[in-house]
Amino acid sequence: MLQLIEYESYKYKNKPIYDILKRFFDIIFSSVALCFSIPIILIAALFIKVEDNGPIFFCQTRLTKNGKPFLMYKLRTMKIDADKEKNKIMDKNEQNGPAFKMENDPRITKVGKFLRKTSIDELPQFLNVLKGEMSVVGPRPPLIEEVNQYNQYQYHRLDVLGGITCIWQCDGRNKVSFDEWVRMDLTYIQNRSIWYDFVIILKTIVSVLKRTGM
């Protein structure tokens, strides 16, 4: 993996040819992935419905390139009205900075724990990729309330489309600070290439199969 950049060395680079190739790859990859994912999503939907009879999908407003809002799709892994319970556990946040991360979040359902561990809950996001709202590889799309707390440097995470997977998910996840998370994302943005994307996708597949880092 490339050496992480220093804050002062970050500079966004326009890569028009890469952007065209990446969009072509995103369309092909997400189309194939959705075809193979449909049976898995249907089975997961059945278990979600049986557990608490709640909604199958969870749609949440996130921000992507240039701070543009969009509706990100996931299979629901938390209890109904989990967002309303978030304030009660904010003091247990295990991630510094504006993001909220808690390994044993009490709001996660039994089915949800399995879906998260296997990353099955993320499969509907291939539809976001097809719509051009996300890419297969890119910084994870943040919540509006998180971005409202960003400084100018951190806002550079939104220089490119948000992605389903990124360096942080493969090499860091809950093990790194938010500042390091941002630095990892900006390292990717500065050095992004088709080959780099391919490496991250392979590392993601390995992490999912081993159930580590995801």
Side-chain angles (χ1 to χ4, degrees):
M1 192 60 67
L2 299 174
Q3 184 176 0
L4 296 180
I5 63 172
E6 297 299 326
Y7 290 161
E8 61 272 11
S9 67
Y10 174 77
K11 183 179 181 181
Y12 177 75
K13 300 175 183 177
N14 286 311
K15 298 184 178 183
I17 296 177
Y18 161 76
D19 290 338
I20 293 171
L21 291 175
K22 179 164 186 165
R23 180 58 187 152
F24 177 76
F25 171 80
D26 280 345
I27 292 172
I28 299 299
F29 190 94
S30 57
S31 297
V32 173
L34 276 175
C35 288
F36 282 100
S37 298
I38 288 174
I40 301 173
I41 292 174
L42 290 175
I43 294 171
L46 176 62
F47 279 94
I48 293 170
K49 201 68 178 176
V50 167
E51 182 171 19
D52 61 10
N53 201 34
I56 294 167
F57 294 100
F58 176 69
C59 301
Q60 188 177 52
T61 300
R62 299 282 183 123
L63 298 182
T64 188
K65 186 176 180 180
N66 298 325
K68 183 179 179 179
F70 74 102
L71 212 57
M72 191 175 80
Y73 311 125
K74 294 184 70 173
L75 288 169
R76 183 173 60 87
T77 59
M78 288 191 173
K79 299 174 183 176
I80 303 170
D81 296 329
D83 280 346
K84 295 179 180 179
E85 298 181 21
K86 186 176 179 180
N87 289 334
K88 299 178 182 178
I89 56 173
M90 283 300 294
D91 60 326
K92 295 180 174 61
N93 188 8
E94 297 169 4
Q95 176 72 66
N96 68 332
F100 179 86
K101 298 292 175 186
M102 184 177 175
E103 187 174 356
N104 296 310
D105 194 323
R107 300 173 298 163
I108 301 175
T109 63
K110 293 179 181 178
V111 173
K113 288 180 181 179
F114 176 78
L115 296 181
R116 287 192 173 203
K117 195 70 177 178
T118 56
S119 294
I120 291 174
D121 63 315
E122 311 280 4
L123 293 179
Q125 287 164 40
F126 283 112
L127 182 57
N128 289 121
V129 176
L130 267 183
K131 293 170 65 178
E133 298 164 335
M134 292 177 64
S135 180
V136 174
V137 180
R140 286 298 291 167
L143 294 166
I144 295 173
E145 57 263 33
E146 293 174 356
V147 175
N148 286 340
Q149 301 177 58
Y150 281 7
N151 58 37
Q152 186 175 2
Y153 173 78
Q154 293 165 343
Y155 195 83
H156 282 300
R157 294 185 70 239
L158 302 176
D159 282 348
V160 298
L161 284 176
I164 295 178
T165 189
C166 58
I167 307 175
W168 170 74
Q169 285 192 289
C170 299
D171 295 343
R173 200 71 174 193
N174 296 330
K175 301 176 183 177
V176 300
S177 67
F178 182 71
D179 283 341
E180 200 70 5
W181 178 1
V182 172
R183 192 177 300 195
M184 294 169 87
D185 282 338
L186 299 194
T187 295
Y188 165 75
I189 294 172
Q190 193 174 48
N191 298 283
R192 66 197 188 283
S193 67
I194 295 299
W195 172 249
Y196 199 5
D197 288 350
F198 182 67
V199 170
I200 291 175
I201 290 171
L202 284 181
K203 288 173 71 71
T204 300
I205 292 172
V206 172
S207 294
V208 170
L209 292 177
K210 290 184 175 181
R211 299 188 183 183
T212 58
M214 300 301 293

